[in-house]
Amino acid sequence: MNTSDGERVRAVLDWEGFSETLTEDDADILGILACSVRQKPIDKVYNKIAEWNRAKNHRNLITFISGCVLPADRKKFLKLFDFVFPMSELNQLPEMIRGYGVATPASLKLQGNSPILPNNENIFSLWNIRPKYSSGFEAYVPIQNGCDKMCTFCAVPYTRGREVSRPSAEILDEVEQLVKQGYKAITLLGQNVNSYGLDKPNDEISFAELLEKIGWLGDSSHEEFWVYFTSPHPSDMDPKVFEVIAQHRCLAKQIHLPLQSGDEKLLIRMNRRHDVETYRELVTKLRATLPQATLFTDIIVGFCGETEEQFQNTVEAFKEFRFNMAYIAQYSPRPGAASHRWDDDVPINIKKERHLRLTEVLKRISLKHNLKQVGTTVKVLVTGTEQRTPYLTGYTEGRLVTRILATEGSLIGKIITVKIITANELSLAGEPLLVTTAITA
Ligand code: SF4
């Protein structure tokens, strides 16, 4: 979400005549899009602003902070940053800069095209700002902001507010433009994407209907591209979503469905509003409708009061649901979240140990799955080159990381066919067969 927000900040600053500098030392304006999911990133913010405020002794510098900021942090940041604003007020950033009294490009008369999409009267709303995408083939499209779920470990509802859905016409327009520009991977973004439209029951379509419209767009296009979404919530997951994905080739056969814990009591304590049985029913439906789909999840280990037995229930859930990938976090209390008031009573060494044990289970499951891909041919979106070798890297439609035994930089940004020749716990490797730039409708 911060990447996507950052692309809109970049567009606004670009329009105001600023250009990106290579180092902070050369910048006239420096800003941070904060993440309040954990305390560590917020601690880094305090270090950074102290450094920037020292730099102000020697030069003109404007500082701002936006993104996910808790009310308590906001109060402190107001004394440290020049501007503190929610992303929904990004449109006011140019005025804030102009009013600051420092000569900046923003005070000049500007030429060129506005980044604001022309088809909406409310041209300054955040979502209507045409972003400066940071990639030429992968893009994020926000569809929803905020969350009504109130999980006890999470501060998002207090930083991003209640759920608000973006008008579907705007979403479809942005996706269509991206497809026309040749984008290959488009990710629909939100804190709780599959509750899309529930805040406007009489005026908006449902998430399944939104996906269906995007699916039709893909069906009528000659381009090959994949549409993902993150993150959905199990309690709002309509099985119709799986049926829609099955019917349209552009809707990626990959589902990220956060489980957080495999223990019923912990799920209640987390206020997750779903139980393991509900999750099981969803996975059963998913496997029946989309047998080829990969399944990713999010898990917290060491949540307040988690016993060894409760942790074992999560291990069993991993074995049962056979996740291809899991983002495993060791619990840490976040000020602002309900669980911050509770005893963080699982020792750090136990959290680390459970993290390692669960990772080992995940690796065994994903290795088994990945080895089955050896000998098959798969489509891979080439995203770049490996850090330490000249070989290309990318991912399959199911978002499995794939090493490509080729070095042609011209393949970056393309979907190609790859024959898988080896696999390990974390990735596949194969040889390219043929470049796929277009398909027949
Ligand atoms: Fe946070 Fe829960 Fe909402 Fe996800 S669903 S953003 S974890 S409150």
Side-chain angles (χ1 to χ4, degrees), residues 147 149-151 153-154 156-157 191-192 233 260 272:
C147 184
K149 287 290 180 288
M150 306 293 187
C151 300
F153 55 80
C154 179
V156 162
Q191 273 74 45
N192 198 7
H233 191 287
Q260 303 300 4
R272 283 294 290 168

Side-chain angles (χ1 to χ4, degrees), residues 411-427:
L411 295 180
I412 294 171
K414 294 194 168 105
I415 293 176
I416 65 168
T417 304
V418 172
K419 176 152 192 200
I420 301 302
I421 50 175
T422 59
N424 62 30
E425 297 148 336
L426 299 172
S427 62

Side-chain angles (χ1 to χ4, degrees), residues 48-253:
K48 195 45 104 176
I49 190 60
E51 189 186 310
W52 290 351
N53 282 337
R54 279 195 298 276
K56 280 184 169 190
N57 293 328
H58 315 292
R59 64 187 169 115
N60 283 336
L61 177 63
I62 299 173
T63 59
F64 72 86
I65 185 162
S66 185
C68 281
V69 178
L70 282 164
D73 287 323
R74 187 184 148 82
K75 265 192 194 165
K76 294 179 202 160
F77 289 155
L78 280 167
K79 294 183 190 145
L80 298 169
F81 287 86
D82 297 315
F83 315 132
V84 182
F85 59 91
M87 278 307 291
S88 55
E89 288 171 16
L90 173 62
N91 61 305
Q92 292 169 34
L93 182 58
E95 276 312 311
M96 294 181 212
I97 297 171
R98 279 193 198 93
Y100 198 74
V102 174
T104 70
S107 53
L108 304 174
K109 180 90 181 122
L110 299 160
Q111 306 286 324
N113 294 322
S114 159
I116 310 296
L117 295 175
N119 66 343
N120 193 308
E121 283 177 12
N122 182 18
I123 56 169
F124 292 114
S125 80
L126 172 68
W127 285 327
N128 253 359
I129 296 169
R130 181 184 297 146
K132 259 194 100 106
Y133 300 107
S134 38
S135 159
F137 52 90
E138 292 177 302
Y140 296 103
V141 176
I143 68 165
Q144 175 273 342
N145 188 49
C147 184
D148 292 352
K149 287 290 180 288
M150 306 293 187
C151 300
T152 52
F153 55 80
C154 179
V156 162
Y158 312 102
T159 60
R160 293 251 175 199
R162 310 288 289 187
E163 290 172 7
V164 182
S165 299
R166 185 181 183 188
S168 53
E170 272 182 28
I171 298 167
L172 292 166
D173 184 57
E174 189 172 344
V175 171
E176 192 174 1
Q177 297 305 321
L178 288 166
V179 174
K180 279 186 186 155
Q181 290 167 47
Y183 275 78
K184 298 295 175 203
I186 298 168
T187 303
L188 309 179
L189 272 186
Q191 273 74 45
N192 198 7
V193 279
N194 55 340
S195 68
Y196 178 83
L198 297 183
D199 57 314
K200 300 186 180 92
N202 301 319
D203 301 327
E204 258 316 340
I205 55 179
S206 68
F207 183 59
E209 288 164 333
L210 178 70
L211 282 183
E212 190 157 45
K213 282 179 187 279
I214 293 171
W216 289 334
L217 208 150
D219 294 344
S220 62
S221 165
H222 289 262
E223 294 298 323
E224 181 163 31
F225 62 97
W226 299 328
V227 177
Y228 300 90
F229 55 84
T230 195
S231 285
H233 191 287
S235 74
D236 287 331
M237 184 54 96
D238 180 352
K240 200 169 164 226
V241 166
F242 303 146
E243 289 162 22
V244 171
I245 294 172
Q247 285 160 13
H248 300 280
R249 66 169 186 246
C250 75
L251 302 179
K253 302 338 178 228

Side-chain angles (χ1 to χ4, degrees), residues 280-341:
R280 181 174 292 119
E281 284 166 14
L282 283 171
V283 174
T284 305
K285 178 77 183 167
L286 170 70
R287 302 284 188 217
T289 319
L290 292 164
Q292 73 278 48
T294 53
L295 180 60
F296 290 21
T297 199
D298 295 332
I299 291 288
I300 295 171
V301 293
F303 187 62
C304 310
E306 185 188 63
T307 62
E308 173 60 26
E309 195 186 340
Q310 288 174 323
F311 170 70
Q312 274 305 325
N313 287 335
T314 299
V315 171
E316 291 309 312
F318 262 52
K319 292 179 185 163
E320 177 180 351
F321 301 133
R322 304 191 315 277
F323 298 116
N324 297 90
M325 176 51 84
Y327 301 99
I328 305 168
Q330 295 167 36
Y331 172 72
S332 67
R334 180 69 196 102
S339 67
H340 187 247
R341 300 190 301 269

Side-chain angles (χ1 to χ4, degrees), residues 382 384-386 389-393 404-412 432:
V382 187
T385 50
E386 290 185 326
T389 80
Y391 288 129
L392 298 171
T393 183
I404 304 150
L405 301 176
T407 55
E408 293 93 332
S410 59
L411 295 180
I412 294 171

